[in-house]
């Protein structure tokens, strides 16, 4: 067995991006980076497929695996390197990935071809693709073409792909946590190519690097700096997280053992409904690549259906190529390989005809030409024609007596990127480990301490398999190629230490009955989901909220419980299951004050869904929580040991009250008992957001600017009030006994209304519950308020006769009113000043931190409308810190926008301690974010001269 060590300290600069221009970033460039002669078309090439016509392929080396040929341009085209217009009729096109370049730019190309990009990934991390959507002026990262039809976008990074390009996308998502396999000393930039704004400026040369015409330019997904692909070699490799560095939860400080969980589960991202073609071996689209409708535009062309292995045949996942009818078999084979982004020697492969009895699709016939010889995913739709169905072929790898296999040193700290070994029919996993250790400088250690790990780097899931010591490697490679040639290109072999990873998964379970003991919760879970006592333990119990956190000591058991809990109901309530990470608080930098983000996607204009995606990209997705998935408790539990953090609540006033109430209950369990809370108003009224200067409502501002404003905000105090509701029904005539309701405690931040304003809020709430789909805009919501108000215009219930009010143990006589309102902040009903600005010697000037509530009355709907129009103020009744209200009849009540009908009884309002810390937006506007460089990136002196 021969062995050769390859030099190079690392093959990828940072979790998903290469060190552009570094020889170590492409150690195998010498064998793959050459143009192969022959005119065979590949994906995205051919007549009518783009702005060029086929030309002759030029001799000479190509950059990073590209196969360039000179083409004649037939419509305006831009260079993918410099993004400038290509003047003249000639350009240079890569037959595989559609990279277009000036002749003068060829020698500067640093972007790897799609065919070799998977081999350059340093640490494979799967993507989290959300539902399909329309992304204007965006480009696919695989085929580099525009996203005109509904496409997919990663919820964690800025990767955009066609649905049928997903199987060929690199598993190069952001690395957001440690998973027990790696331990990096420094954090490097995570470069993502293209889809930059046209105004983007290069961090090095300060020239424009963005383009809306082609996929060009690079951007770090952590710190946000942007650069040309040529210039980024001059940027220091270490990433400092840029402008938001104090707010980001560093990946090195988060640990999550996620062996059996997808990234969607790890980041608590709601999985989209599986659409047409959303399932495959790695969760990718059914058509293995950019398969679009095609028909040979000339009678001299023929279309062929190509499969890349047995798995594709079984699933009917194919690509269609268009080749001349007189093409030689070598040209057809080369075109078939390029359709699957395979740039290996065609002499190592052959095409085998697929028997007609096995073919399972395409009864429609040939189609209109498009995208250089590919079909729609199923390849079987559309009207039939007189042409016959495409012929089906399977690419097979020829038997090889021996192979050269790359063995990566996993996360061992050695001085090589990988080593190459010659594998023979007698080579086993154990013999490979024996040969590799001396090449890695570990010859003094015994082979029993190491194991050979096979890693399938799928775009949606990275699967690791430990190989048995006696497994024959050559047979293993043949089986992989027989199953799928595409998977062979995404498979790596690592030699890793065989240290046992102690399984530990934290599983949050919500929706349980509140108020139970630990023993009762344990018995309940054992009965509902059959928890195993030796593997599962209750680590945290939140009895008042009906939730527990389980410590699971087995990956398989954790996966079973997660899937089972989500399909289980207890006492008629569905349970919630979340996989939670561990924050390593001792590793946090001294100046780090991470931001805990809560988003309610149902608030106001339903803009929370876009904000969720934006904040996951700008921050660490482990610090962003969706409130409809478990509420605020999981977020506070994850941050319970963080010594200093802040909170951002994206929602309406009711959402803010929900989070503040959860914070009040969790305060004694937090290492940071008084985190400051900022607001991004998404609701209808947003009175607290107005008082704290966050605006009347979110209207699409740049989320980055919002985070900068939170970082610059001032801390202020705000009173919180406790309302004790002790209601009881009138005595029954039959038995003379009172039907008592159990007392209930409610927390208040903004205001509490009794009477007409609560009745309007209740009617609005009921209308929204009946038809939630109609309440998608703030303007419509206010229109509903106006409508229900007009319906109550002549309504009178003489509230002052139905209630009694005591202030500081003193009875207060009420005037003739229809509504009684207790206000804590100088904003009510979408910004109205209910107390008024006139001075009054009887009362102190109201403040939201003075420990006093103001009591105001309104005489009806007309009076409320005049207050909101600024024509009148309310009737000032009292000011104090302790109130007792006696309700003589069932009366509508609302607290911070949450209404209900309260039974007769008592309401006691008193100050809750301590005061809550809020963040108020500074008056001066932060520096305008003209480019991400100004807002996210640290300034780096630009070197003189233009590196391009």
């Amino acid at each position: 067995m021969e062995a050769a060590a390859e030099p190079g300290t690392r093959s990828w600069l940072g979790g998903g991006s290469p060190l552009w221009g570094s020889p170590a970033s492409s150690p195998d460039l010498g064998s793959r980076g050459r143009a192969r002669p022959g005119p065979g078309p590949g994906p995205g090439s051919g007549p009518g497929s783009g702005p060029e016509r086929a030309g002759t392929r030029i001799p000479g080396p190509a950059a990073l695996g590209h196969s360039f040929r000179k083409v004649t341009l037939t419509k305006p085209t831009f260079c993918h390197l410099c993004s400038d217009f290509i003047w003249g009729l000639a350009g240079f096109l890569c037959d595989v990935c559609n990279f277009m370049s000036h002749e003068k730019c060829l020698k500067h190309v640093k972007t790897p071809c799609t065919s070799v990009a998977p081999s350059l990934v340093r640490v494979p991390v799967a993507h989290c693709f959300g539902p399909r959507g329309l992304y204007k002026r965006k480009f696919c990262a695989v085929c580099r073409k525009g996203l005109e039809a509904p496409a997919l976008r990663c919820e964690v990074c800025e990767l955009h792909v066609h649905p049928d390009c997903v199987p060929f996308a690199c598993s190069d998502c952001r690395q957001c946590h440690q998973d027990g396999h790696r331990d990096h000393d420094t954090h490097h930039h995570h470069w993502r190519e293209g889809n930059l704004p046209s105004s983007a400026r290069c961090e090095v040369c300060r020239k424009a690097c963005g383009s809306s015409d082609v996929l060009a330019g690079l951007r770090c997904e952590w710190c946000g700096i942007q650069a040309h692909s040529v210039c980024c070699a001059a940027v220091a490799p270490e990433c400092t997280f840029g402008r938001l560095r104090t707010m980001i939860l560093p990946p090195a400080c988060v640990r999550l053992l996620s062996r059996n969980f997808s990234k969607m589960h790890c980041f608590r991202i709601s999985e989209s409904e599986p659409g047409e073609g959303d399932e495959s071996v790695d969760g990718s689209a059914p058509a293995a690549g950019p398969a679009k409708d095609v028909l040979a535009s000339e009678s001299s062309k023929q279309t062929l259906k190509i499969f890349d292995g047995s798995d594709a045949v079984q699933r009917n996942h194919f690509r269609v190529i268009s080749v001349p009818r007189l093409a030689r078999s070598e040209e057809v084979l080369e075109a078939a390989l390029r359709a699957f982004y395979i740039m290996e020697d065609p002499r190592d492969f052959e095409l085998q005809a697929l028997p007609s009895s096995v073919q399972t699709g395409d009864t429609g016939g040939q189609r209109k030409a498009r995208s250089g010889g590919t079909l729609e995913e199923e390849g079987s739709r559309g009207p039939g024609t007189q042409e016959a169905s495409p012929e089906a072929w399977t690419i097979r790898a020829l038997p090889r007596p021996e192979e050269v296999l790359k063995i990566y040193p996993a996360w061992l700290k050695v001085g090589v990127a990988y080593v190459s070994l010659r594998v023979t029919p007698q080579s086993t996993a154990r013999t490979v480990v024996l040969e590799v250790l001396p090449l890695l400088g570990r010859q003094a250690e015994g082979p029993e301490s190491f194991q050979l790990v096979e890693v399938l780097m799928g775009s949606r899931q990275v699967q690791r398999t430990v190989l048995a010591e006696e497994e024959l490697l050559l047979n293993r490679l043949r089986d992989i190629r027989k199953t799928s040639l595409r998977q062979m290109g995404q498979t790596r072999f690592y030699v890793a230490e065989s240290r046992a990873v102690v399984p530990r998964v934290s599983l949050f379970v919500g929706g349980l009955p509140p108020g139970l003991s630990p023993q009762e919760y344990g018995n309940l879970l054992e009965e509902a989901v059959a928890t195993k006592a030796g593997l599962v333990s209750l680590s945290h119990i939140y009895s008042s909220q009906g939730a527990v956190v389980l410590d699971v000591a087995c990956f398989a058991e954790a996966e079973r419980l997660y899937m089972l809990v989500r399909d289980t109901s207890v006492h008629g309530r569905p349970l919630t299951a979340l996989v939670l990470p561990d924050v390593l608080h001792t590793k946090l930098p001294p100046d780090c004050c991470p931001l805990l983000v809560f988003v309610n996607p149902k608030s106001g204009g339903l803009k929370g869904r876009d904000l969720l995606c934006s904040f996951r990209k700008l921050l660490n997705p482990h610090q962003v929580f969706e409130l409809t998935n478990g509420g605020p408790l999981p977020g506070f539990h994850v941050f319970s040991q963080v010594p200093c953090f802040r909170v951002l609540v994206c929602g309406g006033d009711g959402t803010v009250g929900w989070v503040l109430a959860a914070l009040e209950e969790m305060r004694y369990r937090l290492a940071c008992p008084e985190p400051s809370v900022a607001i991004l108003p998404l609701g209808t009224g947003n009175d607290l957001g107005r008082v704290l200067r966050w605006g009347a409502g979110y209207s699409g501002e740049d989320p980055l600017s919002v985070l900068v404003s939170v970082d610059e905000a001032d801390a202020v105090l705000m009173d919180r009030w406790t309302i004790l509701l002790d209601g009881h029904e009138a005595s029954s005539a039959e038995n003379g006994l009172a039907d008592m309701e159990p007392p209930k405690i409610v927390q208040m931040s903004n205001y509490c209304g009794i009477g007409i304003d609560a009745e309007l809020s209740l009617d609005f709430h009921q209308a929204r519950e009946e038809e939630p789909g109609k309440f998608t805009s703030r303007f419509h919501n206010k229109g509903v308020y106006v409508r229900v108000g007009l319906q109550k215009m002549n309504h009178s219930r003489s509230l002052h006769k139905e209630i009694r009010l005591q202030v500081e143990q003193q009875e207060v006589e009420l005037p003739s009113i229809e509504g009684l309102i207790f206000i804590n902040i100088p904003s009510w009903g979408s910004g109205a000043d209910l107390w008024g600005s006139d001075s009054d010697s009887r009362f102190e000037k109201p403040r939201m931190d003075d420990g006093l509530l103001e009591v105001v009355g309104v005489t009806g709907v007309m009076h409320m409308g005049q207050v909101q129009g600024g024509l009148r103020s309310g009737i000032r009744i009292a000011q104090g810190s302790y109130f007792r209200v006696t309700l003589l009849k069932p009366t509508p009540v609302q607290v911070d926008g949450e209404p209900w009908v309260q039974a007769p009884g008592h309401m006691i309002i008193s100050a809750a301690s301590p005061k809550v810390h809020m963040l108020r937006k500074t008056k001066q506007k932060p520096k305008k974010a003209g480019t991400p460089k100004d807002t996210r990136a640290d300034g780096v002196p630009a070197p003189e001269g233009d590196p391009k």
Side-chain angles (χ1 to χ4, degrees):
M1 181 180 295
E2 300 177 6
E6 301 285 347
T9 57
R10 54 179 175 263
S11 61
W12 198 258
L13 179 58
S17 50
L19 176 55
W20 306 89
S22 170
S25 69
S26 182
D28 60 335
L29 183 57
S31 61
R32 292 191 179 185
R34 63 178 185 273
R36 200 175 281 112
S45 63
S49 65
E52 68 282 330
R53 290 201 305 260
T56 58
R57 189 173 290 109
I58 61 169
L64 292 169
H66 292 289
S67 180
F68 285 110
R69 61 187 172 92
K70 190 174 183 179
V71 294
T72 301
L73 306 178
T74 58
K75 61 182 181 181
T77 308
F78 294 83
C79 177
H80 290 196
L81 179 68
C82 64
S83 71
D84 290 340
F85 182 76
I86 298 180
W87 296 95
L89 300 177
F92 291 85
L93 174 73
C94 175
D95 280 334
V96 179
C97 67
N98 300 313
F99 191 100
M100 178 64 72
S101 174
H102 291 104
E103 183 177 9
K104 64 179 181 180
C105 293
L106 280 178
K107 60 183 179 181
H108 299 296
V109 173
K110 304 296 181 183
T111 304
C113 180
T114 304
S115 61
V116 302
S119 66
L120 304 181
V121 176
R122 182 184 178 219
V123 178
V125 180
H127 292 284
C128 301
F129 292 109
R132 300 188 187 191
L134 291 174
Y135 303 103
K136 297 181 179 179
R137 312 294 288 182
K138 299 293 185 180
F139 297 88
C140 176
V142 175
C143 66
R144 311 185 68 89
K145 294 188 176 183
L147 301 177
E148 299 174 357
L152 296 176
R153 177 185 65 180
C154 179
E155 296 284 326
V156 178
C157 68
E158 281 294 331
L159 183 80
H160 294 76
V161 291
H162 293 109
D164 36 7
C165 287
V166 170
F168 302 95
C170 292
S171 54
D172 61 347
C173 194
R174 287 195 301 165
Q175 179 188 342
C176 300
H177 59 261
Q178 296 182 7
D179 63 357
H181 294 283
R182 58 191 75 112
D183 182 15
H184 297 297
D185 299 327
T186 59
H187 192 84
H188 296 124
H189 290 295
H190 185 103
W191 297 110
R192 177 70 63 205
E193 184 185 16
N195 295 318
L196 305 181
S198 301
S199 60
R201 293 281 174 178
C202 177
E203 182 73 18
V204 178
C205 67
R206 305 306 304 155
K207 295 184 178 181
C209 62
S211 174
S212 59
D213 300 303
V214 292
L215 193 72
L218 298 172
R219 175 181 174 273
C220 175
E221 308 238 25
W222 284 108
C223 66
I225 66 170
Q226 300 160 133
H228 295 99
S229 60
V230 175
C231 297
C232 78
V235 179
E238 289 76 17
C239 180
T240 60
F241 299 106
R243 174 65 180 81
L244 305 179
R245 61 183 175 274
T246 60
M247 308 175 71
I248 291 178
L249 189 61
C253 301
V254 184
R255 181 179 59 200
L256 177 60
L257 304 182
S258 56
R259 179 176 301 177
N260 293 334
F261 294 99
S262 71
K263 287 293 182 283
M264 303 291 281
H265 297 158
C266 296
F267 297 137
R268 305 166 303 281
I269 299 175
S270 301
E271 297 185 65
S272 59
E273 292 296 327
E276 184 179 333
D278 283 347
E279 298 293 335
S280 80
V281 67
D282 63 350
S284 51
K292 319 249 190 278
D293 286 341
V294 19
L295 169 67
S297 58
E298 305 173 9
S299 60
S300 61
K301 295 282 186 177
Q302 64 174 338
T303 55
L304 301 177
K305 194 190 303 184
I306 305 296
F307 298 85
D308 76 326
S310 304
D311 184 73
V313 173
Q314 189 175 19
R315 297 171 178 266
N316 196 30
H317 296 173
F318 58 86
R319 297 173 69 84
V320 176
I321 63 173
S322 177
V323 295
R325 293 187 180 275
L326 300 179
R328 295 179 294 110
S329 59
E330 293 83 358
E331 297 173 349
V332 176
L333 176 58
E334 187 175 351
L337 291 172
R338 283 182 179 155
F340 288 93
Y341 300 96
I342 298 172
M343 293 298 291
E344 297 182 42
D345 193 340
R347 293 173 294 182
D348 294 333
F349 301 90
E350 67 177 1
L351 285 175
Q352 294 181 358
L354 192 66
S356 57
S357 59
V358 183
Q359 300 182 32
T360 58
D362 195 21
T363 60
Q366 297 183 351
R367 312 284 159 82
K368 181 179 177 182
R370 185 171 182 265
S371 299
T374 52
L375 264 189
E376 190 55 49
E377 295 175 2
E378 288 78 17
S380 58
R381 295 183 182 176
T385 67
Q386 68 276 16
E387 297 289 340
S389 298
E391 207 174 347
W393 297 80
T394 305
I395 309 176
R396 295 295 188 187
L398 295 175
R400 306 179 187 181
E402 59 183 26
E403 291 194 39
V404 176
L405 185 64
K406 295 179 182 177
I407 306 295
Y408 291 79
W411 298 273
L412 304 177
K413 296 181 179 180
V414 296
V416 296
Y418 63 83
V419 295
S420 296
L421 294 178
R422 194 171 302 276
V423 178
T424 65
Q426 292 75 35
S427 300
T428 63
R430 178 178 176 82
T431 59
V432 167
V433 171
L434 287 172
E435 291 290 338
V436 166
L437 291 181
L439 301 174
L440 299 179
R442 297 294 187 98
Q443 60 271 18
E445 304 181 42
E448 62 277 357
S449 303
F450 298 87
Q451 58 191 4
L452 195 63
V453 182
E454 177 190 303
V455 179
L456 174 58
M457 304 183 298
S459 58
R460 294 200 184 197
Q461 190 170 8
V462 176
Q463 302 175 358
R464 295 178 173 87
T465 304
V466 178
L467 301 182
E469 290 187 353
E470 301 305 321
E471 180 151 10
L472 297 175
L473 265 296
L474 201 59
N475 292 344
R476 183 77 176 184
L477 298 177
R478 289 172 182 170
D479 292 341
I480 296 174
R481 285 195 174 95
K482 185 177 180 180
T483 301
S484 172
L485 292 175
R486 171 179 59 85
Q487 290 185 25
M488 184 63 213
Q490 297 175 340
T491 301
R492 277 188 185 173
F493 293 89
Y494 288 87
V495 58
E497 292 180 306
S498 55
R499 53 186 176 88
V501 177
V502 180
R504 182 184 178 274
V505 179
S506 294
L507 202 61
F508 173 88
V509 179
L512 296 168
L516 302 183
S517 66
Q519 182 65 31
E520 290 173 324
Y521 278 123
N523 295 337
L524 183 62
L525 288 173
E526 184 177 358
E527 178 182 351
V529 295
T531 56
K532 299 179 181 179
L535 300 176
V536 182
S537 61
L538 296 176
S539 64
H540 296 80
I541 298 175
Y542 301 98
S543 179
S544 61
Q545 302 188 29
V548 299
V549 178
L550 305 179
D551 265 356
V552 187
C554 173
F555 291 120
E557 175 67 6
E559 182 181 18
R560 185 191 70 85
L561 286 177
Y562 177 81
M563 303 305 294
L564 187 58
V565 167
R566 298 204 309 174
D567 295 331
T568 302
S569 296
V570 174
H571 298 173
R573 293 182 57 190
L575 299 183
T576 301
L578 297 175
V579 181
L580 300 183
D582 294 326
V583 177
L584 309 177
H585 60 279
T586 57
K587 292 187 176 182
L588 289 170
D591 62 341
C592 182
C593 184
L595 184 68
L596 174 60
V597 181
F598 294 110
V599 181
N600 186 353
K602 295 183 179 180
S603 292
L606 299 180
K607 296 181 179 179
R609 188 65 59 188
D610 292 334
L611 285 172
L612 268 172
C613 187
S614 298
F615 287 138
R616 285 185 183 124
K617 290 178 171 63
L618 292 170
L619 303 170
N620 191 322
H622 286 300
Q623 61 190 111
V624 181
F625 289 80
E626 183 178 350
L627 286 172
T628 56
N629 193 10
L633 181 58
F636 286 125
H637 173 80
V638 171
F639 273 62
S640 60
Q641 299 302 316
V642 177
C644 178
F645 69 93
R646 288 174 291 182
V647 180
L648 173 62
V649 183
C650 307
D653 289 339
T655 302
V656 177
W658 183 15
V659 173
L660 291 179
L663 175 60
E664 190 71 26
E665 292 190 24
M666 282 287 296
R667 188 184 302 274
Y668 69 97
R669 299 192 184 208
L670 299 179
C672 176
E674 297 179 352
S676 300
V677 181
I679 300 172
L680 182 57
L682 300 182
T684 302
N686 302 314
D687 291 290
L688 185 55
R690 297 170 190 263
V691 172
L692 297 175
R693 300 179 187 152
W694 295 107
Y698 177 73
S699 56
E701 293 86 0
D702 181 16
L704 176 58
S705 300
V706 172
L707 294 179
V708 173
S709 298
V710 172
D711 190 39
E712 298 176 347
D714 300 322
V716 296
L717 294 176
M718 184 182 73
D719 295 327
R720 287 273 290 170
W721 298 84
T722 299
I723 303 177
L724 174 64
L725 303 170
D726 187 9
H728 58 83
E729 296 289 351
S731 298
S732 171
E734 297 181 359
N735 53 25
L737 297 177
D739 184 12
M740 302 296 294
E741 281 191 0
K744 183 172 63 172
I745 296 178
V746 178
Q747 299 290 331
M748 185 193 80
S749 300
N750 301 352
Y751 41 75
C752 169
I754 304 174
I756 185 63
D757 75 311
E759 192 171 349
L760 297 183
S761 180
L762 183 61
D763 290 346
F764 171 84
H765 179 75
Q766 292 174 346
R768 182 168 58 180
E769 290 295 318
E770 292 175 359
E771 297 179 296
K774 292 185 177 181
F775 292 77
T776 58
S777 71
R778 197 174 292 117
F779 180 79
H780 176 271
N781 295 353
K782 291 184 178 180
V784 174
Y785 266 116
V786 173
R787 187 186 68 203
V788 298
L790 293 176
Q791 294 173 351
K792 304 286 184 181
M793 184 69 72
N794 298 322
H795 175 78
S796 175
R797 64 182 299 160
S798 299
L799 182 71
H800 59 286
K801 299 179 181 180
E802 300 179 356
I803 65 174
R804 299 287 182 267
L805 173 64
Q806 289 183 1
V807 180
E808 310 290 359
Q809 308 293 335
Q810 299 293 325
E811 191 80 21
V812 175
E813 183 178 356
L814 296 176
S816 178
I817 57 176
E818 294 295 326
L820 187 67
I821 305 171
F822 301 82
I823 54 178
N824 183 45
I825 60 175
S827 179
W828 168 86
S830 299
D833 186 2
L834 190 60
W835 182 261
S837 58
D838 297 337
S839 59
D840 192 332
S841 59
R842 298 177 300 166
F843 307 108
E844 298 182 15
K845 184 178 180 180
R847 296 198 328 268
M848 65 180 184
D849 63 342
D850 58 0
L852 300 175
L853 278 181
E854 289 69 47
V855 186
V856 183
V858 293
T859 59
V861 174
M862 181 66 72
H863 188 186
M864 293 170 60
Q866 292 172 336
V867 170
Q868 291 184 332
L871 303 178
R872 292 179 61 184
S873 58
I875 302 174
R876 299 179 181 178
I877 296 176
Q879 189 180 50
S881 60
Y882 181 85
F883 306 87
R884 184 185 184 93
V885 180
T886 303
L887 303 179
L888 305 180
K889 294 182 179 181
T891 307
V893 175
Q894 65 101 356
V895 174
D896 292 346
E898 303 299 323
W900 70 92
V901 175
Q902 180 63 28
H906 301 289
M907 294 176 56
I908 299 177
I909 306 176
S910 59
S913 59
K915 302 178 186 293
V916 65
H917 292 247
M918 304 298 293
L919 288 174
R920 182 170 59 192
K921 189 176 182 180
T922 55
K923 284 187 177 181
Q924 67 274 18
K925 293 183 179 180
K927 187 176 180 180
K928 188 174 180 181
T931 64
K933 187 268 174 188
D934 298 327
T935 54
R936 290 195 68 185
D938 294 325
V940 178
E944 298 182 1
D946 182 4
K948 294 194 293 180

